[in-house]
Amino acid sequence: MAIFNTNKKPKKIGIITSGGDGPGMNAAIRSVVRCGLKYGYEMAGIMRGYAGLLEEEIVSLNHRSVSNIINRGGTILKTARSKEFSDDEGKEKAIEILKKHRIDALIVIGGDGSYKGAARLWEKFGFPTIGLPGTIDNDINGTDQTIGCHTAVNTALDAIDKIRDTAHSMERVFIIEVMGNKSGYIAVEVALGAGAEDVIVPERPFDFERMCKDIKDGNTRGKVSWMIVVAEGAGKGHEIANTVTTMTGLESRFVVLGHVQRGGVPTGLDRILATRLGAAAIDCIRRQEYGKAIGVLQDEINVIDFKDATHKEFKHLDEFCNLVKILT
Ligand code: F6P
């Protein structure tokens, strides 16, 4: 097992984006790199997530490397999901590569899975890591928002506003799938923001009979169109659409918004969040505080242990779901 002298001041910092990308990651990279350079660190970019790290895809980053990216979606470092990195052998190999490149600390921008990898590097192998919450799913503890979520919600709302036009004109029920395999956060935000009639999330059981009865009752009162938002992990949208048609006799359509939500120009909120988080990551390394996940909670920078950052329970889920129904 690798042993590190974590009292030694780091000289070279690596930065990596991992897992699903999200708008605002580039703003975070820019902030990390420029703050790091300002405090005299050498900065290295690891390409294509942990997969690229295992392939030794490491580049040197300077001030200019991050010019003109604050407004761009995606990640200039690229990203990936890596099976090889998921076990301890993969992590030991990664640490050997980091050592070979004289990288003393690693800043990981990613979601739940990426955090677990970064946590293990620190907790089992003592390699200094810091996490920044980069995922559209908003499923990381210790931060009100993750980088990319705000933009993703707005992108989905933009699409649903357009669907509303055709739903109303053609008098249909639309089942709209948004991203979120284990997290219903995007779905409930989007349902509230779009004025949807119902929302189906992976975290809660759903009463389809009740929904179909509500649709039928509404139709009797003269209502002609419906927008039902379903999170990716909550069930098969086309089956839901078929059920609706069978049980209500109304025409339905199923739309998957999919990866559209992961791209595009980051909103101001995501850029600013990412920029603050990037600076805070460098501050953490200057204090030689490692194994930490950084967030912004009630507008303040918040630093917590990795172990407390994953498995977020969305505390307003019931409130949001109920509000969607009340407003229907
Ligand atoms: O990054 C998170 C996320 O967008 C989830 O909402 C979604 O379930 C998943 O990534 C999709 O991953 P992939 O792009 O690898 O199919």
Side-chain angles (χ1 to χ4, degrees), residues 30-89:
R30 171 181 178 270
S31 176
V32 164
V33 170
R34 291 206 171 158
C35 289
L37 292 169
K38 186 74 87 196
Y39 289 109
Y41 297 108
E42 210 182 317
M43 300 302 298
I46 289 121
M47 304 299 297
R48 293 199 309 108
Y50 294 127
L53 172 56
L54 294 175
E55 299 291 326
E56 237 177 301
E57 294 179 36
I58 300 175
V59 296
S60 163
L61 296 172
N62 61 33
H63 200 85
R64 292 270 73 80
S65 318
V66 292
S67 295
N68 302 315
I69 65 166
I70 194 166
N71 55 332
R72 280 168 53 193
T75 155
I76 58 161
L77 296 177
K78 304 204 171 191
T79 183
R81 302 188 195 278
S82 167
K83 199 157 170 16
E84 190 186 353
F85 183 78
S86 63
D87 58 36
D88 280 349
E89 270 170 44

Side-chain angles (χ1 to χ4, degrees), residues 23-24 27 145-152 266-275:
Q145 289 271 331
T146 53
I147 299 165
C149 179
H150 189 253
T151 309
T267 59
L269 195 148
D270 270 327
R271 297 182 202 192
I272 293 157
L273 172 69
T275 300

Side-chain angles (χ1 to χ4, degrees), residues 80-283:
R81 302 188 195 278
S82 167
K83 199 157 170 16
E84 190 186 353
F85 183 78
S86 63
D87 58 36
D88 280 349
E89 270 170 44
K91 291 187 182 68
E92 282 187 287
K93 180 175 165 193
I95 288 172
E96 286 314 312
I97 293 169
L98 288 165
K99 276 176 21 186
K100 182 173 156 195
H101 287 260
R102 298 179 296 102
I103 293 173
D104 305 307
L106 186 64
I107 296 173
V108 178
I109 306 173
D112 202 76
S114 311
Y115 267 31
K116 285 181 188 141
R120 186 89 179 145
L121 285 182
W122 169 247
E123 285 153 14
K124 168 89 197 278
F125 300 101
F127 188 87
T129 52
I130 297 290
L132 297 186
T135 166
I136 63 167
D137 287 351
N138 205 20
D139 57 352
I140 298 285
N141 276 317
T143 191
D144 289 326
Q145 289 271 331
T146 53
I147 299 165
C149 179
H150 189 253
T151 309
V153 166
N154 279 313
T155 300
L157 287 177
D158 187 46
I160 295 179
D161 288 348
K162 292 180 172 114
I163 294 171
R164 179 182 281 284
D165 293 343
T166 177
H168 193 63
S169 302
M170 298 198 72
E171 307 193 336
R172 284 172 170 167
V173 181
F174 268 84
I175 312 295
I176 301 151
E177 184 187 287
V178 297
M179 275 199 159
N181 200 8
K182 295 187 193 126
S183 162
Y185 185 86
I186 293 179
V188 292
E189 285 255 302
V190 162
L192 264 191
E197 277 75 18
D198 238 317
V199 58
I200 309 173
V201 295
E203 295 93 332
R204 299 279 183 277
F206 190 78
D207 186 345
F208 289 97
E209 273 188 34
R210 192 269 305 148
M211 179 180 78
C212 290
K213 183 176 178 315
D214 287 351
I215 293 174
K216 268 166 82 175
D217 290 350
N219 191 236
T220 310
R221 293 194 307 269
K223 186 171 169 58
V224 292
S225 62
W226 286 261
M227 318 283 278
I228 315 288
V229 177
V230 51
E232 183 191 351
K236 295 194 170 59
H238 61 274
E239 284 174 14
I240 298 171
N242 288 341
T243 307
V244 167
T245 299
T246 313
M247 290 178 76
T248 66
L250 293 165
E251 204 174 345
S252 66
R253 289 289 185 274
F254 171 50
V255 176
V256 182
L257 298 187
H259 290 78
V260 165
Q261 296 155 94
R262 285 235 298 257
V265 173
T267 59
L269 195 148
D270 270 327
R271 297 182 202 192
I272 293 157
L273 172 69
T275 300
R276 290 182 74 191
L277 289 170
I282 295 296
D283 286 344

